[in-house]
Amino acid sequence: MTALTTDFEQPTTDEYPTRKSTEPALLYRREPVVWGGADGPIDPDTLASFDEKGYLQVEELLTPEELESCRAELRRLSEDQDLKRDERVVVERKSDEVRSIFEVHRISEVFADLVRDPRVVGRARQILGSDVYVHQSRVNYKPGFTGTDFYWHSDFETWHAEDGMPRMRAVSISIQLTDNYPYNGALMIMPGSHRTFVSCVGETPEDHYRASLKNQEVGTPDQSSLSILADKHGIDVLTGPAGGAIMFDSNCMHGSNGNITPFPRSNVFVVFNSVENTCGEPFAAPAPRPPFLGSRDFTPVV
Amino acid sequence: MTALTTDFEQPTTDEYPTRKSTEPALLYRREPVVWGGADGPIDPDTLASFDEKGYLQVEELLTPEELESCRAELRRLSEDQDLKRDERVVVERKSDEVRSIFEVHRISEVFADLVRDPRVVGRARQILGSDVYVHQSRVNYKPGFTGTDFYWHSDFETWHAEDGMPRMRAVSISIQLTDNYPYNGALMIMPGSHRTFVSCVGETPEDHYRASLKNQEVGTPDQSSLSILADKHGIDVLTGPAGGAIMFDSNCMHGSNGNITPFPRSNVFVVFNSVENTCGEPFAAPAPRPPFLGSRDFTPVV
């Protein structure tokens, strides 16, 4: 075995230390939330609200025809037996059903087109004020009756610690392919929480991502910090019809409850990062996660 | 050992067979929902809506002072170390925290008073059209962060199968001691589902209640029946402030999602049964459950 070498440029200092101490901490955000201006598909009021709350909703991003085409592609992918052996595909062992497909914009032409659609990437560029690349993409299939919860977390905490993302200049878009009700595990966000970084305790073990895709433990905010943020900001439940979308800042505190209802949930999830914020060495992990979880290819979406 | 003898009068036929077949079934309700009339604290519109939906909500059942007194009693009971050894108290092993106290109207004078309050028992008498007795009472403490879900079920299915309740002439009241939000595991009801009985598959094992208090399996409705009911009726999430109450028919299909939010939930739960509907031998279990789960004392509340 040779020593691990990387050619990533290591940013100077760690502005957001996490998983390095035995005590949690609440730190102020150091960067703006909105980096761009009026130029783009987002109207000024919505952009101002994104700045304040850390998220925005688009009622109808996809036309009914586009929605149907995405759903057909979703079905096609979930039935592709070859794909089930792909490392990028998460299959539930008990039922042999596909739960997530990562790097879906490289696997599916339909979703590749969706990512570079001006309604999608244009919004990301407007928020981040630069060209952007895809840090991660995936489709999620969340079943009814047995949908499990996803505990509170900031995506940025993981991307910073494990992928080496230096600053908060990334944005996620979740395009809903099914209706989101208050009762079927819709996304919950603490509005305004994106201005506070919760430094987590614990040390990232090797190959942590294998476990964390199923159940996050390291990188989990402590209950006291969560109570402070929830009391200060409250909780918004982001419901909306299929074909709509949610965009949210990389540092929003978010999660979702389980889902015992018969209504399943599917979505396409794309993380855009600014090309001026490319990832280096992880800030708190032995090695970067595989590229399908945190891309090392920083080619801008065009 | 002598043979089990009972002096319960066995009702003639089983109108709602369940846990007796290998196939689930949807059966029509045979009884009225509202048995009483205008005489009582419930106004005619609310009573008509209860008839239609199977539930009603009372925005402010308790005054702020009464609410505070109930909460203080809740704290007192949860800290009573002697109580933790009582069979009627469910303690979470991991944390040693009290989760439920059954037969709480016999354990606590505060909750005994609450049960015989005209605002409480008066509403039950009005719906059931007769004197009523307490079939079960309890307080629940549901923690934040780790609140688990409670899968869909009809209470009547259990009371009929395991407690020998012959007909649908019982009503539950849940008095909220904390705020119920859409996101902290609030009660979900399929409105109108109380007119359909879902006959469940499987056979009740001996002492089933020991397991079923934690995780219901036998007596669980099948997914196909749940989908039919949810598509037909939709799902209502019953939110409301502390001090309010929900009353619901014994055969409502209901459940609740988990709760990852920091906001806990506590409530007092009382089941009133008509004195004209007292329990006999179980319809689908080897023996009745213990009296703290399904009372065999049919003395009316006065």
Side-chain angles (χ1 to χ4, degrees):
Chain A
M1 298 286 286
T2 56
L4 185 78
T5 59
T6 66
D7 53 3
F8 310 131
E9 192 189 328
Q10 175 67 22
T12 47
T13 52
D14 184 356
E15 310 258 34
Y16 298 107
T18 185
R19 312 189 193 182
K20 289 178 173 172
S21 168
T22 53
E23 290 298 323
L26 297 172
L27 308 175
Y28 287 104
R29 181 191 186 105
R30 292 165 174 268
E31 297 89 26
V33 178
V34 174
W35 297 67
D39 194 21
I42 308 174
D43 67 75
D45 284 355
T46 304
L47 203 60
S49 172
F50 181 90
D51 189 53
E52 185 197 332
K53 294 185 173 176
Y55 73 86
L56 63 82
Q57 288 185 271
V58 185
E59 178 112 7
E60 189 181 322
L61 187 89
L62 303 179
T63 66
E65 295 71 33
E66 289 168 334
L67 173 61
E68 196 31 65
S69 135
C70 283
R71 283 176 159 172
E73 180 70 354
L74 207 65
R75 282 192 294 276
R76 188 187 71 77
L77 291 171
S78 74
E79 286 158 10
D80 183 333
Q81 293 306 315
D82 290 343
L83 255 188
K84 285 191 182 175
R85 286 187 293 273
D86 192 303
E87 188 195 22
R88 296 168 295 180
V89 176
V90 179
V91 177
E92 190 188 294
R93 262 186 225 167
K94 225 169 72 180
S95 63
D96 197 41
E97 278 174 18
V98 173
R99 288 287 173 257
S100 298
I101 301 174
F102 284 86
E103 225 171 44
V104 74
H105 72 297
R106 294 188 196 273
I107 289 175
S108 153
E109 200 49 49
V110 171
F111 292 118
D113 284 346
L114 187 59
V115 164
R116 56 180 169 250
D117 188 291
R119 291 167 295 178
V120 176
V121 70
R123 282 182 162 88
R125 283 195 202 106
Q126 186 180 2
I127 289 170
L128 302 179
S130 70
D131 272 337
V132 299
Y133 71 95
V134 175
H135 179 69
Q136 186 191 99
S137 80
R138 64 177 192 262
V139 292
N140 296 308
Y141 303 76
K142 300 191 180 178
F145 298 114
T146 59
T148 47
D149 59 31
F150 202 149
Y151 198 68
W152 298 104
H153 64 287
S154 147
D155 291 329
F156 178 75
E157 196 278 339
T158 298
W159 302 337
H160 183 70
E162 301 192 29
D163 299 338
M165 186 182 287
R167 305 175 75 187
M168 296 178 183
R169 196 173 175 183
V171 66
S172 300
I173 184 165
S174 168
I175 302 170
Q176 300 138 214
L177 303 183
T178 47
D179 294 334
N180 284 350
Y181 303 102
Y183 45 72
N184 69 336
L187 182 69
M188 300 190 291
I189 289 183
M190 299 187 190
S193 62
H194 61 306
R195 297 197 182 275
T196 305
F197 180 77
V198 179
S199 175
C200 301
V201 301
E203 202 173 317
T204 316
E206 223 169 298
D207 283 348
H208 174 233
Y209 74 94
R210 289 184 201 275
S212 73
L213 285 182
K214 292 189 179 149
N215 203 344
Q216 194 98 356
E217 292 209 349
V218 173
T220 298
D222 63 294
Q223 294 192 350
S224 162
S225 297
L226 289 174
S227 292
I228 291 168
L229 292 177
D231 286 340
K232 182 170 175 193
H233 299 296
I235 293 172
D236 287 351
V237 182
L238 277 56
T239 57
I246 298 159
M247 296 188 77
F248 57 101
D249 181 82
S250 61
N251 190 46
C252 278
M253 190 57 74
H254 65 288
S256 61
N257 281 318
N259 174 24
I260 66 165
T261 80
F263 306 115
R265 284 176 60 231
S266 302
N267 66 346
V268 195
F269 187 85
V270 186
V271 181
F272 293 103
N273 190 23
S274 168
V275 293
E276 297 168 17
N277 190 41
T278 55
C279 294
E281 282 189 61
F283 286 89
R289 298 189 301 171
F292 68 88
L293 293 174
S295 180
R296 316 307 301 195
D297 173 353
F298 311 130
T299 313
V301 179
V302 284
Chain B
M1 298 286 288
T2 55
L4 186 79
T5 58
T6 66
D7 53 4
F8 308 132
E9 191 189 330
Q10 175 66 23
T12 47
T13 51
D14 183 354
E15 309 259 33
Y16 298 107
T18 185
R19 311 188 194 183
K20 289 178 173 173
S21 168
T22 53
E23 291 297 323
L26 297 172
L27 307 175
Y28 287 104
R29 182 190 185 106
R30 292 165 174 267
E31 296 90 26
V33 178
V34 174
W35 297 67
D39 194 22
I42 307 173
D43 67 74
D45 284 354
T46 303
L47 203 60
S49 172
F50 181 88
D51 189 51
E52 184 197 332
K53 293 185 174 176
Y55 73 85
L56 64 81
Q57 289 184 275
V58 185
E59 179 113 5
E60 189 180 323
L61 187 90
L62 304 178
T63 66
E65 295 71 33
E66 290 169 333
L67 174 61
E68 196 31 64
S69 134
C70 284
R71 283 175 160 171
E73 180 70 354
L74 206 65
R75 280 191 296 276
R76 189 187 71 76
L77 292 171
S78 73
E79 286 158 10
D80 183 332
Q81 294 305 316
D82 291 342
L83 255 189
K84 286 191 183 177
R85 286 187 293 272
D86 193 303
E87 187 194 24
R88 297 169 294 180
V89 176
V90 180
V91 177
E92 190 188 295
R93 261 186 225 169
K94 226 168 71 180
S95 63
D96 197 41
E97 279 174 18
V98 173
R99 290 285 173 257
S100 298
I101 301 173
F102 285 87
E103 225 170 46
V104 75
H105 71 296
R106 294 189 196 273
I107 290 174
S108 152
E109 200 48 51
V110 172
F111 292 119
D113 284 345
L114 187 58
V115 164
R116 57 180 168 250
D117 188 290
R119 291 168 294 178
V120 175
V121 71
R123 282 182 162 87
R125 283 196 202 106
Q126 187 178 3
I127 289 170
L128 302 180
S130 70
D131 272 338
V132 299
Y133 72 94
V134 175
H135 179 69
Q136 185 191 99
S137 79
R138 63 177 194 262
V139 291
N140 295 308
Y141 303 76
K142 301 190 181 180
F145 298 114
T146 57
T148 48
D149 59 32
F150 203 150
Y151 198 68
W152 298 105
H153 63 289
S154 147
D155 290 331
F156 177 76
E157 196 278 339
T158 298
W159 302 337
H160 183 70
E162 302 192 28
D163 299 339
M165 185 181 288
R167 304 176 75 187
M168 296 178 184
R169 197 174 174 181
V171 66
S172 301
I173 185 165
S174 168
I175 302 170
Q176 299 138 214
L177 302 182
T178 47
D179 294 333
N180 284 349
Y181 303 102
Y183 44 73
N184 69 336
L187 183 68
M188 299 189 290
I189 289 183
M190 299 187 191
S193 62
H194 60 305
R195 297 198 182 273
T196 304
F197 180 76
V198 180
S199 175
C200 301
V201 301
E203 202 174 317
T204 316
E206 222 168 299
D207 282 348
H208 174 234
Y209 74 94
R210 289 185 200 276
S212 74
L213 286 182
K214 290 186 181 152
N215 203 343
Q216 192 98 359
E217 292 209 349
V218 173
T220 298
D222 62 295
Q223 294 192 349
S224 161
S225 297
L226 289 174
S227 293
I228 290 168
L229 292 177
D231 286 341
K232 182 170 175 193
H233 299 296
I235 294 171
D236 286 351
V237 182
L238 276 55
T239 57
I246 298 159
M247 296 189 76
F248 56 102
D249 180 83
S250 61
N251 190 46
C252 279
M253 189 57 72
H254 66 288
S256 62
N257 280 319
N259 174 24
I260 66 164
T261 81
F263 306 115
R265 284 175 61 231
S266 302
N267 64 346
V268 195
F269 186 85
V270 186
V271 181
F272 294 103
N273 190 22
S274 168
V275 294
E276 298 168 17
N277 191 40
T278 54
C279 294
E281 282 190 59
F283 286 89
R289 299 188 301 170
F292 68 88
L293 293 175
S295 181
R296 315 306 304 194
D297 174 353
F298 311 130
T299 313
V301 179
V302 284

